[in-house]
Amino acid sequence: DDLVLILYRVVGQGTTIMCDAGEGGSLSVLGPLGSGFEMPHKGETSVLVAGGMGIAPLIFLASIMESGSFIFLSGFGSGEEIVATDEIGFSGIDLSISTDDGSAGHRGLVTELMKNRLTGFDGKTNPSVFACGPLPMLKEVAAITLDGALPCQVSLEATMACGLGACQGCAIRGSLEQNTAYYHVCQDGPVFDVNALDWGAL
Ligand code: FES
């Protein structure tokens, strides 16, 4: 149906405007822009790793994956910040939770949960990893997956002004193996293969 669901936290001017628009208000929106996740091959297991609001694209990804084909790990600052997926229309998504303060689920980082769960795979049935969240979390996800040679796609967050590849505000460095020195998160991403990026420069 004609429904767009936007999950966001109020952190600045733009999100304050969205919040103040209220019921019946109107906003100008440009999109959809850029690229999304590539779906895993049939029969593969996927590990979805979310940090905070980074859960948003992964909820949509999970909703189109076969049930039982993925493990969904989600980290939050505290139990109060947990996004109740069933309350926003996505029932039956089973989240393994971590919180920084230990008020719900595993106390600690979601990447610790990720490392624990990856030990359950024997090397022949390595999963694909899909991740979205704050940069320090994504760097750790990149380190783990590059070290284990696991397929991994990350969805990056970036401050975007134009959304069209013109202002360079969202430019990030490509890895040395790439022919492209810089990517635009708005146009080339926000989803990238983990091997495409220069993680040391991020
Ligand atoms: Fe302007 Fe990406 S937001 S180049």
Side-chain angles (χ1 to χ4, degrees):
D1 294 351
D2 295 336
L3 174 70
V4 177
L5 190 62
I6 301 176
L7 186 65
Y8 66 100
R9 172 182 292 147
V10 179
V11 292
Q13 208 177 1
T15 43
T16 301
I17 291 169
M18 287 163 67
C19 191
D20 290 346
E23 195 173 339
S26 64
L27 297 166
S28 296
V29 176
L30 181 67
L33 304 171
S35 64
F37 290 109
E38 272 179 38
M39 294 295 283
H41 300 296
K42 224 174 165 37
E44 267 180 10
T45 301
S46 302
V47 177
L48 279 48
V49 188
M53 285 294 108
I55 194 173
L58 297 177
I59 294 174
F60 291 107
L61 184 65
S63 73
I64 56 171
M65 283 179 161
E66 261 176 60
S67 70
S69 70
F70 62 89
I71 298 165
F72 200 150
L73 315 174
S74 199
F76 300 94
S78 70
E80 284 179 359
E81 295 173 16
I82 293 173
V83 174
T85 51
D86 46 352
E87 282 176 20
I88 55 172
F90 295 90
S91 54
I93 295 180
D94 186 22
L95 297 180
S96 294
I97 303 269
S98 71
T99 51
D100 296 344
D101 64 2
S103 54
H106 168 82
R107 176 194 290 268
L109 302 174
V110 70
T111 46
E112 293 165 4
L113 270 187
M114 177 189 170
K115 278 191 224 165
N116 292 344
R117 297 303 285 265
L118 287 178
T119 58
F121 293 89
D122 63 8
K124 286 189 202 130
T125 56
N126 275 341
S128 296
V129 176
F130 299 83
C132 184
L135 190 54
M137 182 207 104
L138 292 182
K139 283 188 164 186
E140 181 64 11
V141 169
I144 295 167
T145 54
L146 288 169
D147 188 43
L150 299 177
C152 176
Q153 296 172 53
V154 294
S155 181
L156 294 189
E157 297 174 348
T159 303
M160 297 183 194
C162 71
L164 301 170
C167 74
Q168 310 295 325
C170 66
I172 50 165
R173 290 267 289 272
S175 65
L176 289 178
E177 295 79 42
Q178 306 299 310
N179 291 328
T180 311
Y182 286 90
Y183 291 108
H184 296 117
V185 176
C186 66
Q187 289 277 290
D188 304 311
V191 176
F192 293 92
D193 185 291
V194 74
N195 292 291
L197 305 178
D198 181 351
W199 289 96
L202 277 168

